[in-house]
Each structure stands twice: as C-alpha cells, then as structure tokens.
Amino acid sequence: EKPRLICLPPSGGMTFCYRELMQELDWQGTVYGINDVKYRLYRMLSEEKRSQIEEDTQSQWDQTLAAYWEEVQKIWKDGDILVGYSQGGSAAYWIAQRLEAEGRTPGAVIALESEPYRGGEIPDRQEMACEIAGTDWERRDSWTEAEQIAYLVAWKNISSPLRISGQVHCPVYACNLSENAGTAIQKDGRAGASENCWQPYTCGESGIWFLSGKEEEHLVFLQKYKKEIAQWIRLCLDR
C-alpha cells in the first residue's frame, strides 16, 4: 500500500492549490488536504468582529496547529508523508515533531518553496495578503464575505509567521526556487548541506533541490513547476 500524502496549506490557508500538482503526480494512493480552521472560525464572527482582527496582534497559530493536529490524528497511519507548501512546510514539520513525540513514525516531511522562519520584519503585509487572497485593497469596501475572510486568514498568517525549533528523526526534503539554480532537477542535483536550510532540523536524511526561477513566482510555484516538482517528489519517495 502506498503511503498517504497529507497536505498542509500555505499562508492562504487552503489546500486547493495542490490540485494541479497532485494530478501531475498521479499518486496511486490517498491524498488528504487539511484547510486552516480560521476559515470556519471567521465565518462564525459578525462583520464587526472580523473588522477588528487586523488590530489584534495575537498569533492564532496555537488554534490552527491544534486543528491540524486533530485532523491528522483522525487519519494517521505510520509511514504517511507530510507535505507543506510555503508556511505549510513549517506546519508539516511541527506535525512530524508531535507525531514522533507520541511514538509515531512519519515517512518524511516534504517542504515546497518553504524555509523555516528566522525572524525579521515582513514587508508589505497588506499587499501580500491581498495577493494571496486574490483580491484588491482598493475595492475592500465592496469585498464579499469570502474575500474578506480569505484576506484575513492570509494577513493573520503572514503577520505572525510560524516559528519552529528542535529536530525530527524522519527525512526532510525540500524543493525551492533559486535564481542561481541554473538547471532543472536531476537525481543527483541536491545542494550541499551548507545551502540546505532544513538540515539543522532533522537528524535523519535531508536534501534540498533548487529549481531555476524568480522570487516573485512563489505564489504560482505549484502550478508553474508542477512537472518538475512531481518528478522530484517521485525521486524522494523512491529513496
């Protein structure tokens, strides 16, 4: 039986972004996607309450991670693979840590266009949240409820990036964009350990592959590079 793939969302909070990649991968096993619980929580609030969320500086990662953990526990089988895109990479890592602490065995963490947050100011949060949510700040007075909630989920996640620490025992593989990559992925195309931002977070196997691309392609990474990413995931899981 193929290990199941459990996908965690990026800052936008929805796993629909994995659809084209999973079609390309044609995984002969089960694929799960877990969405950010804040979509459900914010829908329960009045418009007035939602308008106050931006003013609240408190991180909601505890709620979000607790909800991810609850969903993972319902479906988990040892050997399953945790997949995370952007901030979802850190969420997948956190879940792997929690599983190992309870004596479970993740097959691997796969981080896509994802780096552990190392501090620093997040510039243009408003603009970035609008871009992630697919909406326009200039017409915010006419946003639908769905647009407002999508913006708030993205804004909350990028305003308080998820921080991780410690190590896991399972393999951690990453695939990121780099303007200096030069070539597409090859079987032996891993970067050295000094270039692997995930190496310090695992005492197991770790490798990072770089695809040649620009930083501004981050939001279309899964769609634009689906063939290369699918090829790379197959190589990782064949190891």
Side-chain angles (χ1 to χ4, degrees):
E1 184 182 357
K2 289 272 191 182
R4 286 98 55 81
L5 305 182
I6 301 176
C7 301
L8 281 299
S11 301
M14 299 291 280
T15 50
F16 182 76
C17 57
Y18 287 99
R19 184 174 63 90
E20 291 185 28
L21 172 61
M22 292 303 152
Q23 289 174 340
E24 182 68 33
L25 183 61
D26 193 25
W27 187 246
Q28 300 301 306
T30 305
V31 179
Y32 293 97
I34 302 175
N35 294 328
D36 194 322
V37 70
K38 289 194 286 294
Y39 277 95
R40 177 169 59 81
L41 297 178
Y42 292 171
R43 277 198 299 270
M44 296 167 62
L45 299 177
S46 66
E47 186 172 349
E48 181 182 358
K49 289 287 187 182
R50 286 198 298 269
S51 68
Q52 298 170 4
I53 291 175
E54 278 190 86
E55 301 170 12
D56 180 6
T57 58
Q58 183 178 0
S59 170
Q60 290 188 292
W61 275 111
D62 287 348
Q63 282 178 301
T64 300
L65 292 173
Y68 289 162
W69 175 244
E70 183 179 350
E71 293 303 314
V72 167
Q73 284 183 298
K74 293 176 184 176
I75 58 177
W76 183 259
K77 290 184 180 179
D78 280 353
D80 286 349
I81 310 294
L82 294 157
V83 183
Y85 165 43
S86 191
Q87 282 204 69
S90 292
Y93 173 87
W94 184 92
I95 293 292
Q97 272 189 312
R98 183 80 181 264
L99 287 165
E100 290 187 348
E102 298 203 358
R104 309 308 296 268
T105 308
V109 171
I110 292 181
L112 302 171
E113 183 60 353
S114 175
E115 294 186 3
Y117 179 63
R118 298 173 180 175
E121 181 64 23
I122 307 297
D124 302 321
R125 288 178 292 177
Q126 191 178 87
E127 180 181 345
M128 189 182 302
C130 283
E131 188 174 3
I132 291 170
T135 191
D136 181 1
W137 182 255
E138 296 302 319
R139 63 175 190 84
R140 62 191 179 278
D141 291 337
S142 61
W143 281 353
T144 65
E145 180 183 72
E147 288 175 314
Q148 183 189 31
I149 291 173
Y151 168 79
L152 290 173
V153 171
W155 187 90
K156 199 68 175 175
N157 287 341
I158 63 178
S159 294
S160 304
L162 176 59
R163 297 173 182 267
I164 58 173
S165 60
Q167 285 191 318
V168 293
H169 292 86
C170 68
V172 178
Y173 302 119
C175 181
N176 287 356
L177 287 174
S178 172
E179 295 191 21
N180 301 315
T183 59
I185 294 171
Q186 299 174 359
K187 192 164 186 176
D188 57 354
R190 286 188 296 169
S194 63
E195 299 172 271
N196 185 353
C197 56
W198 287 97
Q199 181 69 60
Y201 295 92
T202 178
C203 50
E205 184 177 54
S206 181
I208 188 166
W209 281 257
F210 290 106
L211 285 173
S212 181
K214 299 181 182 298
E215 183 179 342
E216 54 264 32
E217 294 175 321
H218 175 77
L219 293 182
V220 296
F221 178 68
L222 297 186
Q223 291 77 33
K224 183 169 182 177
Y225 297 97
K226 60 188 176 185
K227 292 184 182 296
E228 293 89 343
I229 301 168
Q231 176 193 354
W232 168 77
I233 290 176
R234 292 187 200 102
L235 292 175
C236 287
L237 300 184
D238 283 347
R239 295 180 66 84

